[in-house]
Amino acid sequence: MWKRVLLFMLVVLSVFAFAEVKKIVFWTAPNPNQETFWKELVEKWNAEHPDVQIEWSVIPAAGSSEEAILNAIAAGNAPDICTNIFSGFAAQLAEELDVLVAFDEEFGEEFWKLVDARKMRGILEGWKLNGHYYVIPIYSNPMLFWWRGDLLKELGYDKPPRTYSEIYELAKKWVVPKEKYVIRAVAGRNWWDRWFDFITFYYAASGGKPYIENGKAVFNNEYGKAVAEFIYTLFKNGWTAVDLGQDPFENGTILGQLMGPWHLNYTKEHYPEVYPHIVMTPPPVPDNYPEDKPIYTFADTKGLVMFEHCKYKKEAFEFIKWVFSNAQNDARWIELTRMPPAREDLGTNPVFAEYMKDPYFAKIAEAVAYAVPPAMITNTIDVQNAMTTYLMEPLMYLKATPEEALKQAVKEINALLW
Amino acid sequence: MSLKRREARLGWGLVSIYLLYTAIFWGYPFVWMLILAFSRWKFVGSPKFVGLQNFFRIFEDKIFWRVFLNTMNFLSYFIPMVFIASILFAIALNRMKYFKTFVTLSFLVAYVSSGVAYSIMFQRIFSETGPINRFLYNAFGITIPWFTDPQLAMLTIAIMVTWKFVGYYGLILYSGLQAIPKSIFEAAELDGATSWVKFWKITLPLLNPAIVTVLILAVNLSFGIFTEPYMITGGGPMNRTLTFMLYMYNTAFQRINPSYATTIAIMTALINFSIVIFIRKVIEKEVTVV
């Protein structure tokens, strides 16, 4: 009899023990280096915390992470926490859909402790939305201009061109129609590509001034005109093309391109012979840009959010804290991804000293201070689609003059923002 | 229980499965569609009633009418191309003695292949640095901007879709050809008709049912194009390859506006049906072979 009771108790206990496991669904960016980073950490966490298990997977394949996440929200199977969120999308999720947890409200003191532990108070200000913080910034990628140092040397250049005119001069020496072009001027046809061409060039030309201010597009000014004129000139003379083929920078089809740090490992792996010859500079600027003034650029910055429907918010935040209050994890992040973590002590904290010796990473980390995030608007996608249709494409296909295209684009975007 | 009631019961029993299926997979979405079209909803929370606002918005939506023009543009390329190609295919098949099955299957491979896969393939073939342009440049010193020129991009997509459907439509026309009795042709030959006259006076009129079928299939297809522009052009350049499906998708999942996307879907269906009705009114003839 006693044996039976004991057995029964054991069974009941084990059932409860199993039922006690809390599951947190966690999605991260579909990028091999980032996957390695999270896989290690999640395994470690799960081994140490048998009662709180992280179910980790990458964001499902779709046109973009945003689409995948929206589809998941619509279908009711969105994750509890998710990375790879840019500011505009966070604004959309928080303001329009109201599905995000405001960390400062939910966790108060605990949240600020984490912010100070990771030295990100200043960076966090760029993510403020209606007085709250919905995102924990993970990394900030300043877009820099990569040049082929070896090819430039052959042409007799010791240092890469700094201004638009210098690029035109270089083009006259280098370009062979239909074969070799000077730089890539247009990143692509997706809405996010505007960050990596027009918006970056605009930040550089204007010293980091906003392109949308107080709910109005303001880039139809001298800076916007200079950039549009620059892109138009390159296309008009055949110094660049819409389609440059596979890996044009590595294959020597072009001399330079705007690129983010995420591409470093790719080049190193697939084109080891090209890798040592990369020369990084800030984006090119108009001829009248003062030589002694720092050049601004665009920050491709992504963060982590928690969804309102998360059942175990406290436990999920414990995991976030466990990851980001440890500087060693950020060091491992740099090692794997070559992207600067969103923290203000990269140059001073001894943990990162070793990485600052890498000239490429040092250049990138240096630029973080002059890297401006995108406008915090809820309809980023519409706005940047309009930028593509009314500004970039007319310039690419020479369908409108730079003035006409700018005027039209600003008009259309203001109609959207209204 | 009378026989009548038993019969009725059996009838309902047999139909019930289908009715249940329809209720779940057609009825429920249809009701949901009506709710969405007259409200504003963003995937979470409950829809807010806004009356006809979504419909008014369509008439002011420049992009919607751009898409309408794109679809007409696509039709004007696609219908003649696919029609001529499939009728030639059907006639050729009709005259073949050997390897009929093999040829038919070869053409049908295109029809069953994955849209994503062949979009990637064509993108490579037509790219600025692809084999076609490389050849043209080496031979004549020119390149054709297949996907990057606003006018050409839709034509290129029409060429791809034609390639995919020639086998399928050709087979429909071929079975139409098979159904025409040989005796009619023999009688015409005795009366001294040339092949040309036979084609115009006998083949085409008697093919009418098959031709109408192909036309309607082709029109419906044109309103449902998604994969090719999604994979290759993203609706560009200058929105010239934006299709109804792609616009709906972007509106729902990129711009988070499923209610407006539903309204676009309803308008698309209405335009599509009116074109189909128009075709049936103008082209469809009652064909009887006595």
Side-chain angles (χ1 to χ4, degrees), chain B residues 35-288:
Chain B
I35 294 172
L36 274 185
F38 296 101
S39 64
R40 182 171 299 150
W41 182 69
K42 293 190 164 174
F43 292 121
V44 285
S46 49
K48 265 210 298 281
F49 181 76
V50 293
L52 287 170
Q53 209 180 327
N54 287 327
F55 288 91
F56 291 143
R57 188 177 151 184
I58 274 202
F59 288 98
E60 292 171 3
D61 185 350
K62 272 194 301 198
I63 298 184
F64 179 84
W65 297 107
R66 173 77 259 165
V67 174
F68 174 75
L69 288 178
N70 291 347
T71 306
M72 293 301 118
N73 188 5
F74 177 84
L75 276 172
S76 67
Y77 290 136
F78 177 63
I79 300 273
M81 269 197 308
V82 83
F83 191 73
I84 291 168
S86 5
I87 203 136
L88 288 175
F89 173 66
I91 290 171
L93 210 56
N94 209 13
R95 295 191 174 190
M96 267 186 179
K97 277 213 165 55
Y98 309 108
F99 302 123
K100 232 179 218 183
T101 318
F102 173 75
V103 171
T104 314
L105 282 178
S106 315
F107 273 86
L108 276 176
V109 164
Y111 176 63
V112 296
S113 59
S114 136
V116 173
Y118 83 80
S119 292
I120 293 171
M121 182 186 83
F122 273 107
Q123 188 172 20
R124 292 274 159 87
I125 292 174
F126 284 119
S127 108
E128 193 71 31
T129 49
I132 293 182
N133 273 330
R134 192 133 293 180
F135 165 77
L136 286 174
Y137 187 68
N138 291 337
F140 312 103
I142 51 159
T143 56
I144 298 177
W146 294 102
F147 287 123
T148 49
D149 181 89
Q151 243 336 309
L152 265 179
M154 203 47 135
L155 175 66
T156 312
I157 289 179
I159 290 172
M160 288 167 51
V161 180
T162 301
W163 170 84
K164 183 177 167 115
F165 281 90
V166 161
Y168 178 54
Y169 293 168
L171 220 52
I172 295 173
L173 293 174
Y174 169 68
S175 34
L177 282 177
Q178 291 277 303
I180 303 173
K182 293 275 182 293
S183 55
I184 300 184
F185 288 109
E186 284 157 5
E189 270 164 43
L190 287 177
D191 292 339
T194 58
S195 329
W196 195 238
V197 170
K198 277 192 293 181
F199 179 75
W200 281 107
K201 301 276 182 191
I202 301 169
T203 313
L204 269 188
L206 290 182
L207 258 188
N208 187 289
I211 290 173
V212 171
T213 306
V214 166
L215 270 181
I216 288 173
L217 283 175
V219 168
N220 289 346
L221 171 104
S222 309
F223 279 84
I225 297 265
F226 176 81
T227 314
E228 295 81 2
Y230 177 80
M231 290 294 301
I232 300 170
T233 59
M238 331 266 280
N239 284 342
R240 285 304 183 77
T241 58
L242 197 61
T243 60
F244 283 116
M245 281 285 170
L246 195 56
Y247 189 43
M248 271 176 233
Y249 177 83
N250 289 348
T251 304
F253 297 112
Q254 283 197 340
R255 304 153 75 200
I256 320 193
N257 200 339
S259 28
Y260 186 53
T262 307
T263 317
I264 295 170
I266 293 173
M267 286 297 289
T268 307
L270 289 177
I271 296 171
N272 187 352
F273 290 152
S274 27
I275 292 180
V276 168
I277 288 167
F278 174 79
I279 288 177
R280 294 195 58 173
K281 280 256 186 306
V282 173
I283 299 178
E284 198 167 27
K285 303 269 186 298
E286 198 61 52
V287 175
T288 42

Side-chain angles (χ1 to χ4, degrees), chain A residues 67 70-71 243 382 393 397, chain B residues 128 148 238 249 253 255:
Chain A
E67 275 168 52
L70 284 174
N71 281 327
D243 178 357
D382 267 351
E393 288 186 328
Y397 305 123
Chain B
E128 193 71 31
T148 49
M238 331 266 280
Y249 177 83
F253 297 112
R255 304 153 75 200

Side-chain angles (χ1 to χ4, degrees), chain A residues 27 34 43 73 79 117 135 145 147 169-170 173 184 206 220 236 244 282 287 335 354 357 369 384 393:
Chain A
W27 285 3
Q34 293 186 40
E43 275 172 8
I73 292 173
V135 189
F145 218 84
W147 292 95
E169 286 310 307
L170 179 65
K173 285 186 187 163
R184 178 168 56 205
S206 66
N220 188 6
K236 198 175 69 185
L244 299 163
D287 300 1
E335 192 184 334
E354 192 194 330
K357 284 184 204 145
Q384 288 180 204
E393 288 186 328

